[in-house]
Amino acid sequence: MKNQSTLPAVKNIVLVHGAFADGSGYKGVYEALTQQGYQVTVVQNPLTSLKDDVTATHLALDAQDGPAILAGHSWGGAVITEAGHHPKVAGLVYIAAFQPDNNETALQWFQTAPPAPENGVLPPDEKGIVYYDKAKYHAGFCADLSQETAAFMYASQGAFYGECFLSPITAAAWRNKPTFGIVATEDKSIHPDIQRNMYRRSNTQVTEIKGSHAVYVSQPEKVAAVIAAAAQQVSDN
């Protein structure tokens, strides 16, 4: 493990998962970062509303003993955009994630490119919950993982309420915080060009990684490296 004295000033990492997943997918990223000496917290956001997910994220940030990098995957990007004004957030990392601006929703961006044939996001059911088509989950969400891992991820996903996709951002934190982004080049859930367009608009520092939408699961060391580099950069500034 890296000696604490060699860590950058920002040594806390808070990870936010997205829709059709839960925090367990961050295990590889968690291991890669903790082995370097970082303190990592994984948020189990309820996926019931943008407000509720922001509240869960703020609770995790409140518990940090100093400044933190706040990272979000997919829908988690909208969450960190709204939650990132927390005073302990030193920088933001978007992992194949939505990055709306003020008064924009995740759904608006999702609709800016035709969905891939593999995409399995279903319409809301009678309870307003959005699920991912089980038959398309492996190919559309995590094609670079084993069938067994994909089956576990499908089984452990949270119930994602459709109103999340419709909730506009009120104060986009990327406008005021150092921002980094990962494009998953093989993404079949959020088209890579959607990611590039959002990141380009916000002048996000971009790293492209060959991987599926679940790039944080399939390429944890590479994702962790981007997060660690963000921590180092914001510490140096």
Side-chain angles (χ1 to χ4, degrees):
M1 179 179 290
K2 183 184 291 187
N3 187 286
Q4 291 289 334
S5 64
T6 66
L7 277 172
V10 179
K11 65 182 186 305
N12 298 305
I13 312 294
V14 176
L15 304 173
V16 180
H17 66 82
F20 321 119
D22 78 343
S24 64
Y26 275 120
K27 184 179 181 183
V29 173
Y30 165 88
E31 291 173 343
L33 289 168
T34 55
Q35 286 168 8
Q36 297 178 59
Y38 289 97
Q39 298 181 43
V40 181
T41 300
V42 179
V43 179
Q44 290 287 6
N45 41 314
L47 305 177
T48 45
S49 69
L50 176 61
K51 181 181 179 181
D52 290 347
D53 286 2
V54 168
T55 297
T57 302
H58 279 173
L59 285 172
L61 289 164
D62 289 343
Q64 304 305 305
D65 63 1
I69 292 293
L70 180 61
H73 171 253
S74 191
W75 158 250
V79 178
I80 71 170
T81 297
E82 189 75 6
H85 285 292
H86 192 287
K88 288 184 180 176
V89 175
L92 304 166
V93 178
Y94 290 80
I95 306 167
F98 290 111
Q99 192 190 62
D101 199 357
N102 298 332
N103 302 311
E104 293 179 351
T105 69
L107 182 63
Q108 283 176 259
W109 276 101
F110 183 71
Q111 294 176 332
T112 59
E118 298 90 344
N119 189 300
V121 178
L122 297 171
D125 68 8
E126 67 280 359
K127 296 179 181 178
I129 299 172
V130 177
Y131 291 102
Y132 208 100
D133 186 345
K134 186 174 183 179
K136 291 188 173 183
Y137 191 88
H138 189 200
F141 198 84
C142 51
D144 49 0
L145 297 172
S146 69
Q147 183 66 55
E148 292 77 14
T149 299
F152 170 77
M153 290 177 62
Y154 182 86
S156 60
Q157 67 179 293
F160 180 68
Y161 282 74
E163 71 172 88
C164 295
F165 269 151
L166 301 174
S167 301
I169 297 298
T170 64
W174 53 259
R175 288 184 162 274
N176 307 107
K177 301 285 176 92
T179 305
F180 308 81
I182 292 170
V183 173
T185 63
E186 312 302 307
D187 200 322
K188 303 300 183 185
S189 290
I190 303 178
H191 195 291
D193 284 344
I194 296 177
Q195 299 171 41
R196 295 182 183 109
N197 290 338
M198 290 184 293
Y199 300 162
R200 186 181 304 115
R201 175 182 68 170
S202 60
N203 294 316
T204 292
Q205 295 187 45
V206 177
T207 302
E208 298 212 355
I209 299 176
K210 185 176 181 180
S212 70
H213 187 57
V215 65
Y216 68 111
V217 185
S218 64
Q219 303 286 340
E221 292 85 5
K222 291 181 179 179
V223 170
V226 172
I227 295 171
Q232 184 68 61
Q233 187 166 327
V234 300
S235 297
D236 291 343
N237 292 339

